[in-house]
Amino acid sequence: MIPPSERGVALLSINAVFTTLAITAYVLRFFNNLSRARKGTLPLGHFIITDALVFGATFLVVLNGIMRIISILNGGIGWDIDRLTQHDITWALKALFVEELAWTTSLCLLKFALIILYGRIFVSGTGRKNALFIQIAAFAAVGGLLIGSIAYYLAACTPVRASWTPGIGHCVSPRAGWLGTGIANLITDVIIFSVPIVWVVDLQMSRHNKIVVCVQLFIGCIVSIISFTRIFFVLKVNPMNVTGTVVRADIFSCIELNMAIVFASVSGIAGREAISNFVHRFIVPRSTSYGGVYKDGSGAGYGVSAGRGDGGIDMADRHASWQKLNNTSVMKTTEVDITEEVV
């Protein structure tokens, strides 16, 4: 074991904090969606498929974090390469090789989950003729990124073990592969997070809820900003001194991957209500048509109240009132709250 450098300690700390955040967010997300699936508010098939994808991504996040720890403690990441032994360098390059594969695969699994979500919301929800085509194109783009990245990592060196054993075989420039993967990842990020914002306009929902959905999608764009910043630091990695110059790029790789899971999870758990309250207070109020529906005591029919006297909405009363309408078949309405469907 090699005593970590100051840069190595910083990377270890960031790795521990963000990996813990990602795992915590996933666990909360899982139990939240499990509860909804049991209640029938989330289709079981959607729950199984998307949660399997996000679980796979989270598992790879943990693997990525373990490899990062090994690269620092056994491989000397953070120290300049001329201070390390051949054994140290081999450990560092092996760990980085697995990190790269886990990083790319995890992000692609998350993107597949988001595309499936968009298919459920927009293809069936808006009836746009081109929505299914765009969904298929997005699947193809992310699938191409995944297959292309894995193929590159496995074929960059001949033989493969030359990736972590300097001096044998032949390898192409690693920077080209890192840059190509980073740019392709950024492009798919932009497509996945920006295209649905246009579709939100067509959804049959209140202006308040449309703004909430757009804000949630913009939160996802933060991951794209982190991805862009990572590319900047990848360009500064010196292939002749990988262990000493890769730390900053690895820090942003760690932050990007873990925050992708955090944002995807928290926006559907606690973040939705916080965003909703912010929009309600500072941008546009909730529609007053969401007041309680009650039965007239005279038997003449049903009426709509204006909500609580303080301007709020008693959600329990509102739900019970609408349930009465459904049970008596006076009104049959299916309202899909899109803001609850973010992965």
Side-chain angles (χ1 to χ4, degrees):
M1 184 177 293
I2 305 171
S5 65
E6 291 183 2
R7 289 177 292 186
V9 171
L11 182 53
L12 282 173
S13 301
I14 291 172
N15 181 66
V17 170
F18 282 92
T19 301
T20 301
L21 283 174
I23 294 173
T24 303
Y26 169 73
V27 171
L28 292 174
R29 175 192 185 281
F30 173 78
F31 284 108
N32 176 69
N33 283 353
L34 179 62
S35 174
R36 292 173 56 204
R38 286 177 173 175
K39 294 176 181 177
T41 58
L42 180 67
L44 183 60
H46 179 83
F47 166 68
I48 293 175
I49 294 174
T50 57
D51 270 69
L53 289 170
V54 180
F55 171 78
T58 306
F59 173 80
L60 291 174
V61 162
V62 175
L63 175 62
N64 187 272
I66 292 173
M67 290 298 104
R68 187 168 288 112
I69 294 171
I70 292 175
S71 72
I72 296 169
L73 299 182
N74 281 23
I77 290 291
W79 294 108
D80 290 330
I81 202 167
D82 57 6
R83 299 186 59 175
L84 303 175
T85 66
Q86 183 62 46
H87 180 266
D88 299 334
I89 296 171
T90 299
W91 268 108
L93 296 180
K94 277 184 178 180
L96 287 174
F97 182 80
V98 177
E99 270 190 59
E100 291 164 355
L101 287 173
W103 180 83
T104 303
T105 306
S106 181
L107 284 176
C108 288
L109 290 179
L110 284 174
K111 291 175 184 180
F112 282 137
L114 285 172
I115 294 170
I116 292 173
L117 166 71
Y118 294 161
R120 178 167 180 252
I121 294 176
F122 298 109
V123 174
S124 60
T126 67
R128 293 179 66 96
K129 294 181 180 180
N130 62 342
L132 182 59
F133 171 78
I134 294 177
Q135 185 190 20
I136 294 173
F139 260 115
V142 176
L145 169 62
L146 177 60
I147 295 172
S149 298
I150 293 177
Y152 166 78
Y153 290 135
L154 296 179
C157 292
T158 307
V160 176
R161 63 190 181 91
S163 297
W164 56 81
T165 310
I168 68 169
H170 172 73
C171 295
V172 299
S173 172
R175 182 184 294 173
W178 297 337
L179 185 61
T181 302
I183 292 176
N185 176 61
L186 179 61
I187 292 174
T188 54
D189 279 350
V190 172
I191 293 173
I192 289 175
F193 287 121
S194 62
V195 170
I197 294 177
V198 179
W199 294 343
V200 170
V201 177
D202 291 337
L203 293 175
Q204 299 300 313
M205 55 167 42
S206 67
R207 185 156 59 105
H208 170 271
N209 279 345
K210 287 183 180 181
I211 294 176
V212 171
V213 174
C214 288
V215 171
Q216 288 180 263
L217 291 172
F218 274 123
I219 288 176
C221 292
I222 296 175
V223 177
S224 299
I225 297 173
I226 297 172
S227 180
F228 178 80
T229 306
R230 174 182 172 274
I231 293 175
F232 174 77
F233 287 107
V234 164
L235 291 173
K236 292 192 172 185
V237 176
N238 180 3
M240 303 304 296
N241 183 24
V242 173
T243 58
T245 58
V246 77
V247 173
R248 290 184 179 179
D250 204 16
I251 285 175
F252 280 92
S253 295
C254 174
I255 295 174
E256 177 185 2
L257 181 56
N258 286 284
M259 292 310 294
I261 291 180
V262 171
F263 287 142
S265 300
V266 174
S267 61
I269 301 170
R272 182 183 68 84
E273 187 62 28
I275 295 170
S276 179
N277 289 337
F278 176 84
V279 173
H280 169 57
R281 182 171 182 177
F282 296 104
I283 301 178
V284 57
R286 296 182 178 91
S287 172
T288 55
S289 63
Y290 285 164
V293 180
Y294 62 92
K295 189 171 184 178
D296 192 337
S298 64
Y302 291 83
V304 179
S305 69
R308 294 201 311 258
D310 59 0
I313 300 173
D314 190 325
M315 300 302 292
D317 290 345
R318 171 185 158 191
H319 177 75
S321 299
W322 279 109
Q323 188 62 43
K324 289 180 181 179
L325 287 179
N326 288 331
N327 293 338
T328 56
S329 300
V330 175
M331 179 184 296
K332 293 185 179 180
T333 302
T334 301
E335 180 178 347
V336 178
D337 188 350
I338 299 300
T339 59
E340 293 186 355
E341 299 299 335
V342 175
V343 173

